Amino acid sequence: MAEKLTPNVLVVGTGPIGALFARDLHAQGKNVLMVDAGPQTAGRYGEHQKNSFLYQRNIDEFVNVIKGHLHPLSVSTRSDIPTTLDPSSYRYDTEEYAGFVLNNQNPYQKEEDNLGAYAATYAVGGMATHWTCAMPEFDKALERTWVDENGNEIGYPLGDQDLNGGYAHSAEVLKRTTEAYRHSARHQLVKKVLNQDAGFQVSELPLAVQRRTDQNEHGHREFVTWSAADTVLGRLADPAWKKGDGEAEFTLRAEWQATRIELEGGSDSTPAKVKRVHLRNLRDLGKTAEVEAGAYVIACGPVLTAQLLYASELDEKLNLPIGKYMTEQPMAFCQVVLRQEHLDGLERHLDEVTGDKDRPLAQQAKARVAAYRAAQRKVLKENQKNFRKAPADPIPFPKDEPEPNLYIPASTARPWHCQIHRDAFSYGAVPPNIDTRLIVDLRWFGLSRPRAANRVEFSERYRENGVLKFRNVDSFDMPQPTFHFQLTEEERHTAGMMMADMIKVASHLGGFMPGSEPQFLVPGLPLHVAGTTRMGNDPANDGRAQVTEERDHVVTPRSRVCGTSNLWLGGNGLHPFGNAGNPTHTSMAMAHVAVQDVLSVLNAGTQS
């Protein structure tokens, strides 16, 4: 028999968006249950794994951590047989079988319109256990404005007041800052070369990070704490947390999967209501649970959220375009090895830095560089006959000098978001014989606009003896996603301009790292899919469960699922217009607005 659970709020998904709902609703006295299909992998719920000492000393070691956490959602199968395969090996008849189906291999997925690199992270904290922590705001004229295919200018669902309030709250809970790297000699060098020498409008990349107060043996604050879901949860992130007198309950269950949302009621004049959500225990498949709550929040990523809604037949029951209007970013990438003259003239560059904030920091950095260079020259002089006895450092940056973190914001004039920094990704790892202090990563993120044809579909539903089943399932027994995504001719042209812009910026810094020359990455690799559960502004449909035509959006400006009274969504899937900048900060802002709507429904139910 299924376990019965009755919190005030169920939150499915434990990333920063779900954590914001949980934290703020719990603070208002609501009993909250969070669930995640993935395991708990850190001492605190959802902690960023890059906070480890090892990864802060050697960021490229973190590449394999990221790779290990990314689970591809749709893998195109190939029917051609390798010519070198042992002739006695098993093979299938390609006229009879479409392809392999295990581990998200998908015979329905065409390689040419796949987001082949798009993946999910199954772990408490989700993608935020390894994210870059970049937090730009959406540009009002570019990402919060859209002219559709018919030439109609569509207003952003959230007004400036709501969005700005959400941004402020997001910045507070994720500890957003632009100051954590400004003091760095590496940062100031790159900024000076690009701004003062080359004329680009480069500024500090807003990051969810705090510089730690402890010091290394040289008296420097070398390390930082990257923000993640645990930062948002605060004291609730401690698994040993116990509620005090008068406090609400908070429980997080890892490796519990939400499998179905059950609706009741609903008509052409009144909204439907979530009756319960069904869970299963992935550690013991014989155990299940049914959650009957006052409010339900689904925030498990743009594809997995849409998948759960589809598995619950909400697209048909509520006439919702689940999975449609999907956007993703074309992305250009390269790595640059800093030019010889920049390092030879490092002190001169730092001495020429201007600006009230930057100049004092650059002068301090110059002193560190000069002292370090002099110390290394002394080592060389003392060991001229046997330089391997006490090897000197050939690079003038002190070993604990932080990396640069800069960006050029997206705008209508340059409709792409540019990050100039040094971090770990699932691509572009620096070989161990290259000193990473010489490397600068350039990542240019483009923009695609929503079209119904760009979508993620899910495997066909059918019933067997009254039980809902799916023709093809993923690793978690949910309907297999299949992507259909193409850029328009205009978007392809703009991507070419973006690449040329990145090469121009790179040319002022140095030469390209072998193997990381300018390239477009595999579609889906930015991991910024949006629009699958998009937000819209159509009040005529929002309150009715039954409508005759399919809506063009899934949630209202308050993130409530159209046609329902107690179901909210969170995450990047809600962004309606596409985006050039990183989407998490805006997703957090949307969630902050949604929390107020959840509270109004819960409090109204309490009063009645």
Side-chain angles (χ1 to χ4, degrees), residues 30 51 263 284 335 346 387 423-424 430 451 492 562 575:
K30 308 305 177 186
N51 288 331
L263 292 181
D284 185 344
Q335 290 180 307
L346 180 54
F387 64 88
D423 209 335
V430 175
R451 296 184 303 282
R492 289 166 54 207
C562 297
H575 299 308

Side-chain angles (χ1 to χ4, degrees), residues 145-255:
T145 300
W146 178 48
V147 178
D148 68 14
E149 296 168 319
N150 299 317
N152 303 311
E153 184 170 309
I154 312 298
Y156 203 71
L158 281 180
D160 291 351
Q161 183 174 353
D162 279 337
L163 200 52
N164 290 338
Y167 277 142
H169 189 61
S170 171
E172 177 186 358
V173 299
L174 276 174
K175 305 186 186 303
R176 180 180 187 259
T177 182
T178 57
E179 302 305 307
Y181 290 85
R182 193 190 287 265
H183 68 287
S184 163
R186 295 164 66 189
H187 180 100
Q188 288 293 342
L189 169 66
V190 173
K191 185 177 181 182
K192 188 266 179 181
V193 168
L194 293 180
N195 268 5
Q196 294 177 221
D197 298 350
F200 294 101
Q201 298 299 309
V202 176
S203 57
E204 278 65 35
L205 176 64
L207 292 168
V209 68
Q210 284 187 304
R211 189 151 293 279
R212 282 169 31 181
T213 58
D214 56 320
Q215 298 179 345
N216 62 21
E217 63 272 21
H218 304 296
H220 298 158
R221 295 167 59 192
E222 180 181 358
F223 299 104
V224 296
T225 300
W226 296 100
S227 298
D230 70 313
T231 315
V232 180
L233 286 171
R235 60 196 183 93
L236 299 178
D238 183 352
W241 174 85
K242 301 292 184 183
K243 78 182 189 75
D245 292 340
E247 276 194 295
E249 295 279 359
F250 171 77
T251 306
L252 192 154
R253 290 192 178 191
E255 297 183 90

Side-chain angles (χ1 to χ4, degrees), residues 67-348:
K67 289 181 177 180
H69 276 75
L70 293 178
H71 181 74
L73 294 185
S74 185
V75 180
S76 301
T77 60
R78 296 180 58 176
S79 59
D80 57 315
I81 299 172
T83 57
T84 55
L85 182 67
D86 184 330
S88 68
S89 300
Y90 174 81
R91 64 185 66 188
Y92 61 86
D93 185 347
T94 57
E95 296 295 324
E96 186 174 1
Y97 294 97
F100 296 116
V101 297
L102 192 64
N103 298 327
N104 288 351
Q105 292 177 88
N106 183 1
Y108 300 102
Q109 180 67 69
K110 295 179 180 179
E111 182 65 27
E112 61 268 23
D113 63 355
N114 191 15
L115 294 177
Y118 188 75
T121 293
Y122 290 96
V124 172
M127 291 280 188
T129 57
H130 55 78
W131 70 312
T132 306
C133 292
M135 292 184 65
E137 294 184 2
F138 281 1
D139 181 78
K140 184 174 181 179
L142 178 68
E143 295 154 298
R144 290 156 56 185
T145 300
W146 178 48
V147 178
D148 68 14
E149 296 168 319
N150 299 317
N152 303 311
E153 184 170 309
I154 312 298
Y156 203 71
L158 281 180
D160 291 351
Q161 183 174 353
D162 279 337
L163 200 52
N164 290 338
Y167 277 142
H169 189 61
S170 171
E172 177 186 358
V173 299
L174 276 174
K175 305 186 186 303
R176 180 180 187 259
T177 182
T178 57
E179 302 305 307
Y181 290 85
R182 193 190 287 265
H183 68 287
S184 163
R186 295 164 66 189
H187 180 100
Q188 288 293 342
L189 169 66
V190 173
K191 185 177 181 182
K192 188 266 179 181
V193 168
L194 293 180
N195 268 5
Q196 294 177 221
D197 298 350
F200 294 101
Q201 298 299 309
V202 176
S203 57
E204 278 65 35
L205 176 64
L207 292 168
V209 68
Q210 284 187 304
R211 189 151 293 279
R212 282 169 31 181
T213 58
D214 56 320
Q215 298 179 345
N216 62 21
E217 63 272 21
H218 304 296
H220 298 158
R221 295 167 59 192
E222 180 181 358
F223 299 104
V224 296
T225 300
W226 296 100
S227 298
D230 70 313
T231 315
V232 180
L233 286 171
R235 60 196 183 93
L236 299 178
D238 183 352
W241 174 85
K242 301 292 184 183
K243 78 182 189 75
D245 292 340
E247 276 194 295
E249 295 279 359
F250 171 77
T251 306
L252 192 154
R253 290 192 178 191
E255 297 183 90
W256 278 82
Q257 178 191 6
T259 58
R260 184 163 62 93
I261 302 165
E262 186 178 341
L263 292 181
E264 64 178 355
S267 68
D268 59 0
S269 59
T270 59
K273 181 179 181 180
V274 176
K275 183 178 181 180
R276 61 177 65 92
V277 168
H278 297 261
L279 309 177
R280 69 169 181 168
N281 185 339
L282 300 180
R283 285 284 187 170
D284 185 344
L285 296 178
K287 293 182 179 179
T288 61
E290 294 177 353
V291 182
E292 296 185 358
Y296 302 81
V297 176
I298 313 299
C300 43
V303 175
L304 300 187
T305 293
Q307 182 188 59
L308 178 57
L309 299 184
Y310 175 87
S312 307
E313 302 179 278
L314 267 60
D315 54 325
E316 290 187 354
K317 294 175 181 178
L318 301 173
N319 232 339
L320 299 174
I322 292 169
K324 296 183 179 178
Y325 302 101
M326 182 178 69
T327 61
E328 176 58 303
Q329 300 175 282
M331 181 178 169
F333 168 75
C334 69
Q335 290 180 307
V336 173
V337 182
L338 288 171
R339 189 170 293 149
Q340 179 84 40
E341 64 193 64
H342 293 333
L343 274 77
D344 288 348
L346 180 54
E347 290 91 333
R348 174 185 60 81

Side-chain angles (χ1 to χ4, degrees), residues 42-79:
R44 286 168 55 82
Y45 292 142
E47 182 178 6
H48 201 306
Q49 297 203 10
K50 199 166 61 177
N51 288 331
S52 163
F53 179 94
L54 172 63
Y55 302 135
Q56 298 210 23
R57 277 284 170 88
N58 187 351
I59 189 62
D60 289 286
E61 292 277 355
F62 197 63
V63 169
N64 290 323
V65 176
I66 297 173
K67 289 181 177 180
H69 276 75
L70 293 178
H71 181 74
L73 294 185
S74 185
V75 180
S76 301
T77 60
R78 296 180 58 176
S79 59

